Structures are given as structure tokens and as C-alpha cells.
């Protein structure tokens, strides 16, 4: 048992130092090349869609920490086993280092924006871990036993005790490796925090121009909470580490099936007329009644004039947006040119775009789910066709076009709430961006549908707040809501999961009165 513990501890300590050293090298050169981020990204790409949907549904914004924790557990188990095997056969140490290096380097190269240098941190970390594991095992087994034998000598005859471990030498060596791992890991975190702090300071110092076309005032009578605060806005993406982009070097390239390719700097973008619009954005992963939706006042450059300036060629029907970390989002070009306020966003709720929401520039297309029209950390726009290119989510089975479905949600009361008898208010939101909401209805216990009151909104691109006065009788009750959009289409009762083009069904809750 002692040998197993020493071998496992040696493997874990060596791996910890190796990963910390790799992350430090990546932090100092190219943060996205860190092995944890690279492997995590590769795992996300390889994860089946149903499992991704389960993670988003059950873990929400904790899905990424859970993934990294899972990778760490697998790494610890693998390196512990390597250390145990390495006590008897040192070749296991070399084999383990090769496996770790190959896995990290392969994952790094699989990233869309990768280059060959991205393999260096993983290879360096694996080599460092292998060398340290070899050294730790040697230190632990180098003390002669009672017969004067050392590791590598002929095995002891039957009945003779195995050679002792040099506990003091091992503990000193282990403490040295652990301290080094802590220093390397701490330095990597310090560098990453410093880079994040520099990005945050750049954002805070940024002063955006006033819009040439301001947003319409929100009508009097709109309820509290019409806008979602930046800190509360949902986040669903595949980025394990938020990209930190230098405004001075940021460029947006527009190319592909156009007559005039061009590249814009951030200053070039701000020199163009800006528009300000209130738009509700929601994620296709949202379950019925789910939280992945928010409304903000967005500031940005209209996208349609840029496309017209570029000169679209015949047959082009898709605009592929690429982010700094390699995500691709495909948007139908006819949607971008139909008069809606699709834009390249630089501001959100009166301040520069937050880092987690896509700073410095993101794309936004009213009326489409985010996966089909809202690329964060934007760096490239390519005009192409749906026949020639499948964007990231389309490759994984999601619908190529993602129009938002007519949907409604009950926000008050909460599910399973216990309320008092008498006057109660049922309230929530409904949305059908681009079409608008004409009616919201409530049904209690499967009874007749009753009209709810709609609060005023500035445009058809936002959600509508609604409320219904209910005279609640004692006992358990179920409450359902449905919406009708301005085309006359009534929200369907049929339940469907988010995959492949958005969830459907009436949001229904249960409460108890009395």
C-alpha cells in the first residue's frame, strides 16, 4: 500500500507541476494555447448535442467550471496510475508523458484559430511532468535496504523484505515539486489577471460616440425590469476563457463572395454612423420557461450598409461570422438585408460592450436565436453560401436558419409558490422578435383562456411584459400561458426540446393557495 501511495502521489505532483508550467508558458505567450483550455475546447467540440443540452440545462453558467473539474479529475487519475506503474517499470513514465503531450498538442491543433506554436505549452508541460515523475520515483526508491540493495538490483530472495523507501528524501522532493507547482500556477494566474485587468481598464477608458440614430424612448407604463442589467445578462457560449482583445490591434475583415474586400480597425468602425436599438436576445438552448433571454439597449454599426458597400456577388446567401476563439455563426443574408436593425455592436446599456458579452465587437441580428446571428468577439465576416459552408452549430445538427419562435413565460408567481387567498397578480414576458406580440392569455386549471394586460413596448424587437389579475381560490392550481404574435399565429401547445431549432410548448406552473 505504501508503494501505491508514493507512486500515485508522485504522479499527481509531477502532473501538477507540468500543467502549471504549461499554463505559465501559455499565459506569457498565447493564453488560448494552455492545455486545460485546449483540451476543454476539444471536449466541447466532441461532446454529443444531447449531452451539451443537458449540461446547459442542468448546470447553466457552471457548465464550464464543471468541465474543467472533470478534466482535472481524469488527469489526476491517469497520472496517479502512471506513477504507480512507473515504480516497477520506468518505461511507463515515458509512455505517460508521451500520451499527455500528444493529447494536449492534438487538442491545441484542433482549435479553429490554432497554429503550430500552440502545441509548445502542452509538449513542454508533458516533458516537464515526465522528468519530474522519473526524479521523484528515483528519490523515493534510491535508499538501500537492509541487504544493501538499491533500485535496479536483482530482486530480493524469497522471505527477504522489499527495499525500504527513503521517506525523508521523497518528502523533501515532493515538497519542492509542490512548491514549484504552486509558484508556476500562481504566476500563470497573475499574468492572466493582469491581462484581464488591462482589458478591463481599456474598456473602462473607452468613450463611445453618441448614436446618429438614438433608440426610441421606452413608453411610460413599461414595468420594472424591462431592461436586463449587464451583470445579469445570460451567457451561453463555448469559450472556456474569455478572449482578451487589444483594441489597438483588433481588425475586422470582410471578405468572400464580394467585389470589394476590406479591413476595418475599431476606430474605423466608430467613425461610421451608429444606431441605438432596444432588442431582446435569446438562446436557442432555452427550455420552455427558461432563463436564457434578456433585453438590452444596444449601440452599433448597421450591418446592411457594410454588406452593400462590399458588393455582394450573385448566389451569396450566408454571412459567416468568426470570433477571436474560432467560433463560426452563419446568418442568412436575406435576413440581414430585409430592413431589420442587424448591427455590429460596440455598446450595451449605455456602456462599452462587457468582456463576457463580446468586447470589443459582437454581431446582433434581431429575430434570430443567438446561434444564428449573434457572434461574440467578432474578428471576421465571410460572405459565402449555405451549400459551401456549415457553421459550428449547423455541423452539429442544429437548423441552418434560426428564427425566434413565439414564446411566453410566467415569472410571477414562482413554481410551487404558496400564496394567500384572494387578489393575486400573475405576470411575465412574451416575445416574438420582429413580429411582436398582440395578445397573451392565461388559463387556470385548464379553464377558459383569459386575456392578460400587455404593457407598452418601444418596438416589435423586444419582449412584452404582461400581467393578469387573478382572484385566487383555496387549493392547488395549475397556471398556463400562451401568446399570439402580430401575424395571428398562436403559440403552440406541442412540447418540443430546444434541439434542433428552439423549444415549444406552453409554460405551466403549479401553485398552492391558502
Amino acid at each position: 500500500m505504501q508503494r501505491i501511495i508514493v507512486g500515485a502521489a508522485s504522479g499527481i505532483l509531477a502532473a501538477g507541476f507540468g500543467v502549471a508550467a504549461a499554463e505559465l508558458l501559455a499565459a506569457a505567450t498565447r493564453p488560448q494555447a494552455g492545455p486545460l483550455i485546449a483540451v476543454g475546447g476539444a471536449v466541447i467540440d466532441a461532446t454529443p448535442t444531447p449531452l451539451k443540452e443537458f449540461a446547459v440545462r442542468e448546470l447553466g453558467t457552471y457548465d464550464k467550471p464543471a468541465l474543467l473539474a472533470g478534466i482535472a479529475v481524469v488527469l489526476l487519475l491517469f497520472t496517479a496510475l502512471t506513477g504507480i506503474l512507473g515504480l516497477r517499470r520506468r518505461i511507463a513514465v515515458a509512455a505517460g508523458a508521451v500520451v499527455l503531450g500528444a493529447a494536449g498538442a492534438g487538442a491545441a491543433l484542433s482549435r479553429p484559430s490554432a497554429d503550430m506554436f500552440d502545441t509548445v505549452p502542452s509538449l513542454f508541460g508533458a516533458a516537464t511532468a515526465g522528468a519530474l515523475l522519473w526524479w521523484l520515483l528515483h528519490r523515493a526508491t534510491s535508499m538501500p535496504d537492509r541487504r544493501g540493495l538499491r533500485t535496479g538490483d536483482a530482486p530480493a530472495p524469497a522471505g527477504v523484505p522489499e527495499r525500504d523507501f527513503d521517506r525523508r528524501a521523497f518528502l523533501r522532493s515532493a515538497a519542492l515539486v509542490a512548491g514549484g507547482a504552486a509558484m508556476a500556477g500562481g504566476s500563470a494566474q497573475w499574468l492572466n489577471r493582469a491581462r484581464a485587468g488591462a482589458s478591463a481598464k481599456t474598456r473602462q477608458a473607452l468613450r463611445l460616440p453618441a448614436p446618429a440614430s438614438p433608440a426610441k424612448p421606452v413608453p411610460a407604463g413599461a414595468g420594472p425590469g424591462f431592461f436586463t442589467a449587464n451583470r445579469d445578462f445570460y451567457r451561453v457560449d463555448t469559450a472556456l476563457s474569455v478572449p482578451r482583445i487589444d483594441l489597438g490591434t483588433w481588425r475586422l475583415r470582410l471578405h468572400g463572395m464580394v467585389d470589394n474586400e476590406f479591413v476595418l480597425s475599431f476606430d474605423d468602425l466608430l467613425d461610421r454612423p451608429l444606431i441605438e436599438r432596444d432588442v431582446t436576445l435569446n438562446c436557442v438552448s432555452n427550455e420552455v420557461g427558461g432563463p436564457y433571454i434578456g433585453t438590452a439597449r444596444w449601440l452599433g454599426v448597421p450591418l446592411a450598409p457594410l454588406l452593400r458597400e462590399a458588393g455582394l456577388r450573385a448566389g451569396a446567401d450566408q454571412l459567416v461570422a468568426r470570433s477571436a476563439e474560432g467560433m463560426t455563426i452563419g446568418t442568412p443574408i436575406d435576413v440581414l438585408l430585409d430592413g431589420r436593425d442587424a448591427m455590429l455592436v460596440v455598446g450595451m446599456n449605455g456602456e462599452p460592450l462587457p468582456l463576457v458579452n463580446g468586447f470589443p465587437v459582437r454581431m446582433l441580428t434581431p429575430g434570430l436565436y443567438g446561434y444564428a446571428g449573434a457572434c461574440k468577439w467578432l474578428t471576421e465576416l465571410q460572405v459565402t453560401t449555405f451549400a459551401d459552408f456549415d457553421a459550428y452549430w449547423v455541423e452539429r445538427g442544429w437548423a441552418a436558419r434560426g428564427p425566434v419562435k413565439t414564446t411566453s413565460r410566467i415569472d410571477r408567481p414562482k413554481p410551487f409558490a404558496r400564496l394567500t387567498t384572494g387578489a393575486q397578480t400573475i405576470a411575465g414576458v412574451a416575445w416574438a422578435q420582429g413580429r411582436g406580440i398582440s395578445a397573451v392569455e392565461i388559463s387556470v386549471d385548464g379553464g377558459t383562456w383569459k386575456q392578460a394586460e400587455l404593457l407598452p413596448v418601444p418596438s416589435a424587437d423586444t419582449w412584452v411584459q404582461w400581467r393578469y389579475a387573478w382572484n385566487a381560490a383555496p387549493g392547488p392550481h395549475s397556471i398556463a400561458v400562451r401568446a399570439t404574435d402580430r401575424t395571428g399565429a398562436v403559440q403552440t401547445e406541442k412540447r418540443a426540446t430546444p434541439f434542433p431549432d428552439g423549444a415549444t410548448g406552453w409554460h405551466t406552473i403549479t401553485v398552492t393557495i391558502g
Side-chain angles (χ1 to χ4, degrees):
M1 179 58 71
Q2 180 177 243
R3 294 176 64 85
I4 292 176
I5 293 174
V6 169
S10 298
I12 291 171
L13 286 169
F17 191 103
V19 170
E23 293 293 338
L24 176 58
L25 177 60
T29 55
R30 191 169 159 86
Q32 62 267 40
L36 292 178
I37 298 300
V39 172
V43 170
I44 289 175
D45 290 349
T47 300
T49 294
L51 187 54
K52 283 182 182 173
E53 287 305 293
F54 172 83
V56 171
R57 182 175 64 252
E58 300 298 327
L59 299 176
T61 56
Y62 296 102
D63 58 343
K64 296 173 181 66
L67 172 61
L68 293 175
I71 292 172
V73 169
V74 172
L75 176 64
L76 292 178
L77 292 175
F78 177 81
T79 54
L81 179 61
T82 300
I84 294 170
L85 297 176
L87 277 170
R88 292 187 175 277
R89 296 184 179 275
R90 293 293 195 267
I91 190 64
V93 175
V98 168
V99 170
L100 287 179
L109 285 178
S110 74
R111 311 315 303 138
S113 58
D115 58 36
M116 286 303 298
F117 182 81
D118 288 356
T119 65
V120 173
S122 293
L123 296 176
F124 172 72
T128 301
L132 282 174
L133 178 55
W134 194 296
W135 180 66
L136 284 170
L137 295 179
H138 173 75
R139 293 284 288 172
T141 58
S142 62
M143 181 180 177
D145 63 19
R146 299 179 182 88
R147 300 171 298 109
L149 297 175
R150 292 181 178 272
T151 301
D153 293 341
V160 176
E162 290 186 356
R163 55 188 60 83
D164 294 331
F165 287 104
D166 190 341
R167 295 180 183 86
R168 290 184 178 179
F170 173 74
L171 291 175
R172 287 195 298 268
S173 303
L176 184 62
V177 171
M183 289 182 62
S187 298
Q189 290 185 6
W190 181 84
L191 285 174
N192 286 326
R193 284 197 299 268
R195 184 175 286 106
S199 297
K201 288 181 180 178
T202 299
R203 175 184 171 273
Q204 291 168 2
L206 182 61
R207 296 294 177 264
L208 297 174
S213 175
K216 296 179 182 178
V218 176
F226 178 80
F227 289 111
T228 307
N230 290 355
R231 65 179 180 276
D232 298 327
F233 213 90
Y234 77 91
R235 179 191 173 193
V236 177
D237 55 55
T238 62
L240 290 172
S241 176
V242 175
R244 312 295 180 180
I245 299 173
D246 179 12
L247 279 184
T249 60
W250 178 87
R251 296 292 184 272
L252 175 65
R253 180 189 177 205
L254 195 159
H255 66 108
M257 297 176 64
V258 296
D259 296 327
N260 306 302
E261 297 187 2
F262 54 80
V263 176
L264 297 174
S265 68
F266 191 72
D267 287 340
D268 292 334
L269 208 59
L270 294 188
D271 284 341
R272 303 179 69 91
L274 302 181
I275 62 173
E276 186 182 58
R277 297 292 184 268
D278 299 336
V279 179
T280 294
L281 178 64
N282 55 306
C283 180
V284 73
S285 296
N286 222 16
E287 297 281 352
V288 172
Y292 302 129
I293 182 169
T295 297
R297 176 159 289 182
W298 309 92
L299 177 70
V301 174
L303 185 52
L306 279 174
L307 295 177
R308 293 191 178 99
E309 288 176 27
L312 300 175
R313 294 179 183 170
D317 62 6
Q318 179 181 207
L319 181 69
V320 175
R322 286 186 173 83
S323 75
E325 34 78 64
M327 172 58 67
T328 55
I329 299 291
T331 307
I333 286 179
D334 59 345
V335 167
L336 298 174
L337 300 178
D338 69 1
R340 71 185 70 195
D341 290 313
M343 66 176 85
L344 305 181
V345 174
V346 296
M348 182 178 179
N349 287 331
E351 61 184 72
L353 198 61
L355 299 178
V356 297
N357 293 111
F359 180 83
V361 180
R362 73 174 295 163
M363 184 172 157
L364 176 67
T365 310
L368 296 186
Y369 290 115
Y371 86 99
C375 184
K376 299 178 182 178
W377 308 296
L378 185 65
T379 60
E380 183 181 341
L381 295 171
Q382 180 185 7
V383 177
T384 181
T385 67
F386 283 103
D388 289 338
F389 185 85
D390 285 338
Y392 182 91
W393 293 111
V394 177
E395 280 187 317
R396 287 152 180 81
W398 294 84
R401 297 169 179 264
V404 171
K405 297 180 177 180
T406 302
T407 313
S408 55
R409 185 183 73 190
I410 300 171
D411 292 332
R412 191 177 62 168
K414 297 298 183 184
F416 309 113
R418 299 188 68 89
L419 308 173
T420 58
T421 303
Q424 294 290 343
T425 298
I426 305 171
V429 290
W431 59 93
Q433 292 96 302
R435 303 182 300 280
I437 296 294
S438 63
V440 171
E441 299 169 290
I442 297 297
S443 174
V444 179
D445 298 329
T448 305
W449 289 98
K450 304 291 186 180
Q451 290 278 343
E453 176 190 0
L454 302 185
L455 303 186
V457 294
S459 78
D461 286 333
T462 71
W463 57 19
V464 173
Q465 297 169 300
W466 57 265
R467 60 192 176 200
Y468 176 75
W470 176 39
N471 185 21
H477 298 281
S478 66
I479 305 170
V481 62
R482 72 180 184 186
T484 303
D485 66 30
R486 292 180 183 172
T487 70
V490 180
Q491 179 182 346
T492 179
E493 179 184 11
K494 183 180 179 181
R495 281 273 177 169
T497 62
F499 182 80
D501 60 359
T504 62
W506 296 338
H507 187 208
T508 303
I509 66 170
T510 298
V511 299
T512 301
I513 305 299

